[in-house]
Amino acid sequence: VRLDTDPYLERYATRVRGMRASEIRALFAVVARPEIVSFAGGAPYTAALDFTAVGDVVTRLIRDHGAEALQYGGGQGRAQLREQLAEIMRYEGVPSHADELVVTIGGQQAIELVASCFLDPGDVVLAEGPTYVGGLGALSRQEAEVRHVPMDADGMQVELLEDRLAEAAADGRRVKLVYTIPNHQNPAGVSLSVPRRRRLAELAEQHDLLILEDNPYGLLDFDGRTWPSLKEMVPDRVVYVGTVSKTFAPGARVGWVAAPTPIRDKLILLSEAAILCPPTLSQMIVESWLATQPWQDQVKRFCEVYEERAEAMLTALATEMPPGVEWTRPQGGFYVWLTVPDGIDTGDLLAKALQHRVAYVPGRGFYAGGGREQLRLSYSFPPPERIREGVARLGELLHQEVELVRAVYGNRPPVPRGDGRHADDGIPSQGG
Ligand SMILES: Cc1ncc(COP(=O)(O)O)c(C=O)c1O
């Protein structure tokens, strides 16, 4: 439905009128076709779970605690689950206690709560460029202005964050939040280096900043390493978001937010106003999964699956891509971020890619502006042989496109890189 033909247009709240389906959502219908190798969605490989064990957990839960599991609960979420989630944080090295947690419907609701807690229309949020589509959605829902800080192989270029802070001050604008995904970032697949974490923490102190630290992928490091968290460095300045979506199952829709006490109290009120309480059934399934199953072994199993797939993708990229294509080298998480040569627009190219039976997400979905020459590949879901096939298809297409651009424009690309507003968007080469 085109917006200008929508008969309800005049009735919508102003902030809703301009809302559109993300590139990813719009793609879902097409990429579900079996002939297409989809690197588009960031779906965890839930088939790696032991379904007999999950089934036993659910059956026993309903049999033994049915009345409680099917009842309402408190707005902050169940105390036992919060204890366990705080334990997961400590397992990753993030200091935490159950009291500071609010259980949410996935990390997404946590981000949404934080956004609605802090942002008035026109407030500035500094976020990595590129950043998580769902994060952008939650921020723009509050009509915040997202300004990007470019990344490289070591994550957000924190020295450029200082420039953004100075620009915002010069514009007379308040930076209400810094949104970062420091570990195995979505979509870039890179992690924030330790020195940069320390510098970001320092800047937060110096400039009185509040940081939204979003960490769905921290436990999915291929070598089992963990990084020091921002929460650990400046606990009073960090609101931390976690989820069981990537370590157990996204269908459970269980996430959480850990915040300083006054903020936590506001988040509980906001969540109660929106949803009354997080789903008791899901909370208790996760509780009993964590209490009775070797969940750390399951996380290791997921890591092995994703590492094998990442390797398949990186090896295939090295053989299939034409010169001039660059990509990041993830050491955990789900994503490879690709930069194509000047003159190729990844949004325009998508239709041809689907004809070549391969799907990706165009880069522009991950920016408030920019990303034309970039795209995200997710290796979490297709098995290695499909990954090799899909990368070969994409490589063939990009070879053709590079030829086409050269034939039409010679060695001078037709357009400048980026959209002018974010001339330094994107991540320089790590390979390719
Ligand atoms: C960076 C990031 N944050 C948050 C989420 C939200 O996940 P969920 O709502 O399933 O916990 C995702 C999911 O892909 C993500 O990649």
Side-chain angles (χ1 to χ4, degrees):
V1 179
R2 283 188 42 167
L3 268 182
D4 54 9
T5 61
D6 180 347
Y8 302 97
L9 186 62
E10 293 307 314
R11 294 169 190 258
Y12 298 131
T14 316
R15 67 178 178 282
V16 176
R17 285 186 199 153
M19 283 175 109
R20 295 210 168 67
S22 75
E23 303 263 5
I24 300 181
R25 279 262 302 283
L27 272 175
F28 266 157
V30 184
V31 303
R33 293 203 206 126
E35 70 272 20
I36 291 180
V37 177
S38 176
F39 301 130
Y45 189 63
T46 46
L49 284 162
D50 176 348
F51 292 130
T52 308
V54 179
D56 289 348
V57 160
V58 175
T59 308
R60 243 183 279 128
L61 173 65
I62 298 298
R63 192 188 59 208
D64 300 341
H65 306 279
E68 191 183 354
L70 298 169
Q71 190 52 271
Y72 291 111
Q76 189 177 359
R78 291 172 54 86
Q80 187 191 327
L81 178 62
R82 286 187 282 108
E83 292 288 352
Q84 293 166 303
L85 298 176
E87 181 61 39
I88 292 181
M89 288 175 72
R90 292 194 293 271
Y91 177 71
E92 201 183 326
V94 187
S96 177
H97 52 88
D99 204 36
E100 66 177 347
L101 264 60
V102 182
V103 179
T104 54
I105 302 181
Q108 183 65 29
Q109 193 213 352
I111 298 168
E112 205 281 325
L113 288 177
V114 175
S116 62
C117 188
F118 289 103
L119 300 174
D120 287 313
D123 279 341
V124 172
V125 177
L126 300 182
E128 285 135 359
T131 192
Y132 169 51
V133 175
L136 281 176
L139 298 171
S140 66
R141 205 172 107 111
Q142 305 302 329
E143 302 175 77
E145 181 187 330
V146 176
R147 296 185 180 184
H148 290 294
V149 184
M151 306 175 80
D152 62 18
D154 288 326
M156 184 200 289
Q157 294 177 265
V158 175
E159 59 286 4
L160 297 176
L161 180 92
E162 297 192 65
D163 297 348
R164 294 286 181 273
L165 289 168
E167 284 160 20
D171 296 349
R173 306 289 290 283
R174 175 130 191 235
V175 174
K176 280 281 191 72
L177 284 174
V178 175
Y179 174 51
T180 178
I181 306 151
N183 302 323
H184 309 303
Q185 205 247 16
N186 178 6
V190 298
S191 296
L192 190 61
S193 71
V194 176
R196 283 188 180 171
R197 283 169 204 246
R198 299 210 188 288
R199 183 69 190 132
L200 178 54
E202 272 171 25
L203 285 174
E205 294 284 14
Q206 278 167 24
H207 295 266
D208 191 23
L209 300 173
L210 191 66
I211 298 171
L212 175 52
E213 179 172 27
D214 183 14
N215 186 25
Y217 303 101
L219 284 175
L220 295 185
D221 186 280
F222 299 150
D223 296 322
R225 294 161 310 179
T226 55
W227 280 268
S229 62
L230 295 159
K231 178 168 166 38
E232 173 185 340
M233 295 176 190
V234 274
D236 296 341
R237 300 195 167 277
V238 171
V239 178
Y240 177 99
V241 172
T243 177
V244 304
S245 286
K246 321 290 163 157
T247 49
F248 173 48
R253 304 310 299 129
V254 169
W256 69 94
V257 51
T261 310
I263 298 176
R264 177 209 63 188
D265 289 346
K266 293 279 193 251
L267 295 175
I268 294 172
L269 292 174
L270 280 166
S271 185
E272 286 173 346
I275 63 159
L276 295 184
C277 63
T280 315
L281 182 58
S282 278
Q283 291 185 78
M284 289 183 77
I285 290 171
V286 173
E287 247 170 64
S288 108
W289 173 260
L290 294 171
T292 65
Q293 303 299 313
W295 66 268
Q296 291 101 330
D297 294 346
Q298 179 61 51
V299 172
K300 284 183 192 136
R301 168 89 190 102
F302 277 131
C303 282
E304 284 163 14
V305 169
Y306 298 138
E307 182 177 17
E308 190 193 8
R309 292 173 183 198
E311 269 178 30
M313 181 168 275
L314 291 171
T315 309
L317 285 167
T319 50
E320 304 291 349
M321 287 298 133
V325 177
E326 299 168 353
W327 57 88
T328 57
R329 296 177 181 280
Q331 292 171 332
F334 288 3
Y335 310 105
V336 172
W337 183 246
L338 224 86
T339 303
V340 298
D342 284 347
I344 299 175
D345 181 318
T346 59
D348 295 347
L349 193 65
L350 184 59
K352 282 193 199 168
L354 293 174
Q355 283 165 3
H356 276 71
R357 293 169 299 135
V358 60
Y360 58 80
V361 186
R364 64 181 179 221
F366 304 95
Y367 289 94
R372 189 164 50 195
E373 284 123 350
Q374 296 164 323
L375 60 88
R376 188 189 77 178
L377 300 176
S378 171
Y379 50 77
S380 56
F381 200 75
E385 62 279 10
R386 292 280 286 171
I387 289 176
R388 285 186 277 273
E389 178 66 45
V391 171
R393 292 174 188 173
L394 184 62
E396 188 188 300
L397 174 62
L398 284 172
H399 273 283
Q400 290 170 9
E401 286 301 300
V402 167
E403 280 308 311
L404 198 65
V405 169
R406 195 173 296 148
V408 177
Y409 300 104
N411 284 328
R412 284 182 64 85
V415 287
R417 220 169 227 293
D419 62 358
R421 196 169 139 225
H422 300 281
D424 44 6
D425 273 350
I427 300 166
S429 168
Q430 289 189 65

